[in-house]
Amino acid sequence: MPNGLAYPLAVDEETGNLKIVTEADWVKSRIDSLLDTLPLENPMRPRYGTESPIFSSQFDWTTYAFSIVQKLRQEIPEAEFAATSEIADDGSAIIVIAYAYRGIPQDDFILNFLR
Protein backbone atom coordinates (compact mmCIF):
# COMPACT_ATOMS: atom_id res chain seq x y z
CA MET A 1 0.00 0.00 0.00
CA PRO A 2 1.67 3.26 -1.10
CA ASN A 3 1.85 6.04 1.43
CA GLY A 4 3.66 9.30 2.07
CA LEU A 5 3.39 12.77 3.51
CA ALA A 6 0.24 14.77 2.81
CA TYR A 7 0.59 17.77 0.54
CA PRO A 8 0.52 20.46 1.68
CA LEU A 9 2.30 19.39 4.84
CA ALA A 10 -0.08 19.12 7.78
CA VAL A 11 0.04 17.87 11.35
CA ASP A 12 -1.99 14.79 12.26
CA GLU A 13 -4.24 15.92 15.11
CA GLU A 14 -4.23 12.47 16.72
CA THR A 15 -0.48 11.79 16.76
CA GLY A 16 1.09 15.24 16.54
CA ASN A 17 3.32 13.95 13.72
CA LEU A 18 3.22 14.97 10.08
CA LYS A 19 0.09 13.67 8.40
CA ILE A 20 0.55 10.50 6.32
CA VAL A 21 -1.83 9.68 3.47
CA THR A 22 -2.33 6.38 1.66
CA GLU A 23 -3.68 5.00 -1.60
CA ALA A 24 -5.82 7.50 -3.59
CA ASP A 25 -5.11 10.37 -1.15
CA TRP A 26 -1.39 9.73 -1.63
CA VAL A 27 -1.79 9.97 -5.42
CA LYS A 28 -3.80 13.20 -5.09
CA SER A 29 -1.12 14.70 -2.82
CA ARG A 30 1.60 13.83 -5.34
CA ILE A 31 -0.38 15.41 -8.19
CA ASP A 32 -0.94 18.58 -6.12
CA SER A 33 2.77 18.73 -5.31
CA LEU A 34 3.85 18.32 -8.95
CA LEU A 35 1.38 20.93 -10.23
CA ASP A 36 2.28 23.45 -7.50
CA THR A 37 6.05 23.20 -8.01
CA LEU A 38 8.03 24.99 -10.70
CA PRO A 39 11.16 23.38 -12.17
CA LEU A 40 14.30 24.40 -10.20
CA GLU A 41 12.13 25.24 -7.17
CA ASN A 42 13.25 22.02 -5.47
CA PRO A 43 17.08 22.10 -5.51
CA MET A 44 17.31 18.35 -4.86
CA ARG A 45 15.09 17.59 -7.88
CA PRO A 46 15.62 20.43 -10.40
CA ARG A 47 13.43 18.89 -13.13
CA TYR A 48 10.52 18.18 -10.77
CA GLY A 49 7.41 20.31 -11.30
CA THR A 50 5.62 21.90 -14.23
CA GLU A 51 6.42 25.00 -16.24
CA SER A 52 4.17 28.03 -15.88
CA PRO A 53 2.57 29.14 -19.15
CA ILE A 54 1.41 32.49 -17.82
CA PHE A 55 4.11 34.67 -19.40
CA SER A 56 4.27 32.97 -22.80
CA SER A 57 2.96 35.05 -25.69
CA GLN A 58 2.60 32.12 -28.09
CA PHE A 59 1.42 28.94 -26.48
CA ASP A 60 -0.05 25.61 -27.55
CA TRP A 61 -2.33 24.50 -24.71
CA THR A 62 -2.77 20.99 -26.07
CA THR A 63 1.00 20.44 -26.03
CA TYR A 64 1.21 21.91 -22.53
CA ALA A 65 -1.56 19.59 -21.26
CA PHE A 66 0.25 16.62 -22.83
CA SER A 67 3.52 17.63 -21.14
CA ILE A 68 1.74 17.70 -17.77
CA VAL A 69 0.38 14.20 -18.37
CA GLN A 70 3.86 12.96 -19.32
CA LYS A 71 5.32 14.37 -16.08
CA LEU A 72 2.50 12.85 -14.04
CA ARG A 73 2.96 9.44 -15.64
CA GLN A 74 6.69 9.58 -14.96
CA GLU A 75 6.29 10.65 -11.32
CA ILE A 76 3.20 8.58 -10.46
CA PRO A 77 3.19 5.38 -12.54
CA GLU A 78 0.60 3.85 -10.20
CA ALA A 79 -2.17 5.99 -11.74
CA GLU A 80 -3.57 6.56 -15.24
CA PHE A 81 -3.85 10.12 -16.59
CA ALA A 82 -5.50 12.02 -19.43
CA ALA A 83 -5.87 15.74 -20.07
CA THR A 84 -7.98 18.02 -22.23
CA SER A 85 -7.53 21.71 -22.89
CA GLU A 86 -9.78 24.46 -24.20
CA ILE A 87 -9.82 28.21 -24.59
CA ALA A 88 -12.88 29.87 -23.07
CA ASP A 89 -14.74 32.79 -24.63
CA ASP A 90 -13.05 35.23 -22.23
CA GLY A 91 -9.60 34.14 -23.44
CA SER A 92 -8.77 32.03 -20.41
CA ALA A 93 -7.39 28.54 -20.83
CA ILE A 94 -8.74 25.53 -19.00
CA ILE A 95 -6.93 22.22 -18.61
CA VAL A 96 -8.78 19.28 -17.10
CA ILE A 97 -6.61 16.47 -15.79
CA ALA A 98 -8.55 13.25 -15.34
CA TYR A 99 -6.97 10.37 -13.49
CA ALA A 100 -7.76 6.97 -12.09
CA TYR A 101 -6.08 5.00 -9.35
CA ARG A 102 -6.36 1.21 -9.43
CA GLY A 103 -8.92 1.58 -12.21
CA ILE A 104 -11.19 3.81 -10.12
CA PRO A 105 -11.75 7.31 -11.57
CA GLN A 106 -10.95 10.11 -9.13
CA ASP A 107 -12.04 13.76 -9.05
CA ASP A 108 -10.55 15.75 -11.93
CA PHE A 109 -8.03 18.52 -11.45
CA ILE A 110 -9.15 21.70 -13.23
CA LEU A 111 -6.46 24.27 -13.98
CA ASN A 112 -7.63 27.75 -15.00
CA PHE A 113 -5.21 30.19 -16.61
CA LEU A 114 -6.38 33.77 -17.02
CA ARG A 115 -4.45 36.05 -19.32
Side-chain angles (χ1 to χ4, degrees):
M1 170 178 12
N3 65 31
L5 295 174
Y7 182 86
L9 287 176
V11 173
D12 186 326
E13 297 293 327
E14 293 178 19
T15 66
N17 295 325
L18 290 176
K19 185 176 180 179
I20 302 293
V21 291
T22 61
E23 299 286 338
D25 291 333
W26 173 77
V27 172
K28 182 181 182 309
S29 285
R30 292 190 63 199
I31 295 168
D32 276 333
S33 173
L34 185 76
L35 295 176
D36 285 349
T37 305
L38 294 170
L40 300 176
E41 194 171 12
N42 181 341
M44 299 303 287
R45 298 182 68 195
R47 285 185 250 135
Y48 182 81
T50 55
E51 297 287 337
S52 174
I54 298 299
F55 299 108
S56 297
S57 60
Q58 299 290 323
F59 203 77
D60 179 356
W61 290 99
T62 302
T63 301
Y64 180 65
F66 181 71
S67 73
I68 290 174
V69 167
Q70 284 183 310
K71 286 253 185 178
L72 289 167
R73 287 176 179 159
Q74 178 182 358
E75 291 293 327
I76 313 166
E78 300 83 1
E80 302 90 45
F81 298 95
T84 59
S85 63
E86 67 179 70
I87 303 296
D89 291 338
D90 65 359
S92 63
I94 299 167
I95 295 177
V96 177
I97 299 172
Y99 75 103
Y101 177 67
R102 294 188 183 228
I104 301 170
Q106 305 295 316
D107 292 337
D108 295 345
F109 279 81
I110 299 173
L111 309 175
N112 293 305
F113 299 93
L114 301 174
R115 289 195 168 219

